[in-house]
């Protein structure tokens, strides 16, 4: 069974700080990686995806991928209370149309 | 209507009932999914339909029966469920691309309670 591991948290950061969320995966053949945000009582929404080693930036979000070490991370700069949510990492399992999700890391940004 | 809509939002049923969950996507996608989300557990993939054909059945008990009559609609028929089936059931859709490029768009989910 291919696995995606995340620290469940909560990760607590002060407003304005950088929040760093990490994810490790077991399938060395994985080529693409997705980050979803899920607010309490809501459904997941896609916020970032990355295919290549290195960094990908989108506004306050940066995804970092290291295939050799099999981890992918999400950095949130200038964290806001509205960023408080659970962040889910997802990786294709090798099967067609088959995304495997981690259990998620709960982020709490306090004023 | 935009995005992915699911009905009902909440459902309470007894173990002997039969009910159905409905999902409709308005994004022009050609792949649809059912996921189960239980407390403190990762999202579990249940079924995948691509171009109205079931391409994944992730060892789901037969008391869950999916139906995909066209690329815009997906149903999950439920019968003789168990209390441990209580969870949030999420429908999602994507535009079928090369493997590894699946960007899923989720509906709001149906919160199911089995008594």
């Amino acid at each position: 069974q291919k696995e995606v591991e995340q620290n469940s948290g909560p990760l607590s950061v002060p407003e304005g700080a950088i929040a760093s969320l990490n994810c490790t995966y077991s399938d060395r053949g994985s080529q693409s990686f997705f980050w979803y945000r899920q607010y309490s009582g809501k459904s997941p929404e896609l916020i970032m995806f990355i295919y290549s080693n290195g960094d990908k930036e989108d506004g306050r979000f940066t995804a970092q991928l290291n295939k050799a070490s099999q981890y992918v991370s999400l950095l949130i700069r200038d964290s806001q209370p509205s960023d408080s949510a659970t962040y889910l990492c997802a990786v294709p399992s090798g099967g067609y149309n088959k995304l495997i999700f981690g259990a998620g890391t709960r982020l709490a940004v306090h004023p | 209507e935009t995005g992915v809509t699911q009905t009902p939002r909440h459902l309470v049923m007894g173990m002997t009932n039969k009910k159905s969950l409905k999902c409709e996507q308005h994004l022009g996608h050609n792949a649809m999914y059912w996921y189960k989300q239980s407390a403190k557990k990762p999202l579990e993939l249940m079924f995948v339909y691509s171009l109205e054909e079931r391409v994944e059945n992730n060892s789901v008990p037969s008391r869950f029966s999916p139906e995909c009559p066209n690329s815009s609609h997906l149903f999950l028929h439920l019968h003789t469920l168990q209390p441990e089936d209580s969870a949030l059931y999420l429908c999602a859709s994507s535009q079928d691309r090369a493997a590894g490029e699946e960007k899923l768009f989720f509906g709001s989910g149906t919160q199911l309670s089995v008594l």
Side-chain angles (χ1 to χ4, degrees):
Chain A
Q1 172 69 29
K2 305 293 190 293
E3 291 186 348
V4 178
E5 301 285 344
Q6 295 182 257
N7 187 322
S8 62
L11 173 65
S12 183
V13 301
E15 185 174 356
I18 296 175
S20 177
L21 305 160
N22 298 311
C23 171
T24 59
Y25 58 94
S26 61
D27 185 359
R28 285 197 169 273
S30 297
Q31 297 295 318
S32 53
F33 306 86
F34 302 84
W35 283 100
Y36 285 78
R37 177 176 63 199
Q38 187 173 23
Y39 291 113
S40 180
K42 302 293 186 182
S43 58
E45 64 175 317
L46 180 64
I47 56 171
M48 285 286 283
F49 58 91
I50 185 168
Y51 300 142
S52 306
N53 262 343
D55 295 1
K56 178 183 178 183
E57 189 173 315
D58 184 1
R60 295 186 297 111
F61 297 97
T62 299
Q64 298 177 319
L65 175 59
N66 185 323
K67 289 186 179 180
S69 301
Q70 294 178 245
Y71 82 78
V72 57
S73 60
L74 180 69
L75 302 180
I76 306 175
R77 290 183 301 281
D78 188 24
S79 296
Q80 301 297 309
S82 58
D83 295 324
S84 298
T86 297
Y87 290 80
L88 308 174
C89 175
V91 179
S93 78
Y96 192 52
N97 292 101
K98 190 172 178 179
L99 271 186
I100 302 299
F101 283 81
T105 298
R106 189 158 64 88
L107 172 66
V109 181
H110 53 87
Chain B
E1 285 274 16
T2 58
V4 181
T5 56
Q6 287 187 243
T7 55
R9 292 294 305 274
H10 302 274
L11 178 63
V12 179
M13 58 188 290
M15 292 194 291
T16 57
N17 292 156
K18 291 183 181 181
K19 296 287 184 183
S20 296
L21 309 184
K22 179 183 175 182
C23 176
E24 183 174 0
Q25 60 96 2
H26 309 271
L27 299 169
H29 290 164
N30 55 16
M32 296 188 77
Y33 310 74
W34 282 115
Y35 277 86
K36 176 184 177 182
Q37 189 172 36
S38 305
K40 308 295 185 186
K41 292 177 69 176
L43 279 163
E44 299 172 50
L45 179 63
M46 300 176 72
F47 301 104
V48 181
Y49 278 83
S50 178
L51 299 172
E52 298 145 44
E53 270 194 49
R54 192 189 308 179
V55 297
E56 183 75 30
N57 178 347
N58 219 25
S59 302
V60 178
S62 59
R63 58 186 183 268
F64 295 91
S65 175
E67 178 189 1
C68 187
N70 55 61
S71 60
S72 298
H73 294 86
L74 185 65
F75 296 89
L76 188 62
H77 304 299
L78 316 171
H79 64 97
T80 58
L81 294 191
Q82 304 299 309
E84 60 265 29
D85 297 321
S86 299
L88 179 67
Y89 288 84
L90 289 161
C91 172
S93 70
S94 72
Q95 184 57 35
D96 212 356
R97 299 184 189 280
E101 296 187 16
E102 304 86 348
K103 297 175 189 173
L104 302 185
F105 293 81
F106 285 89
S108 299
T110 295
Q111 186 65 54
L112 173 67
S113 297
V114 181
L115 305 179

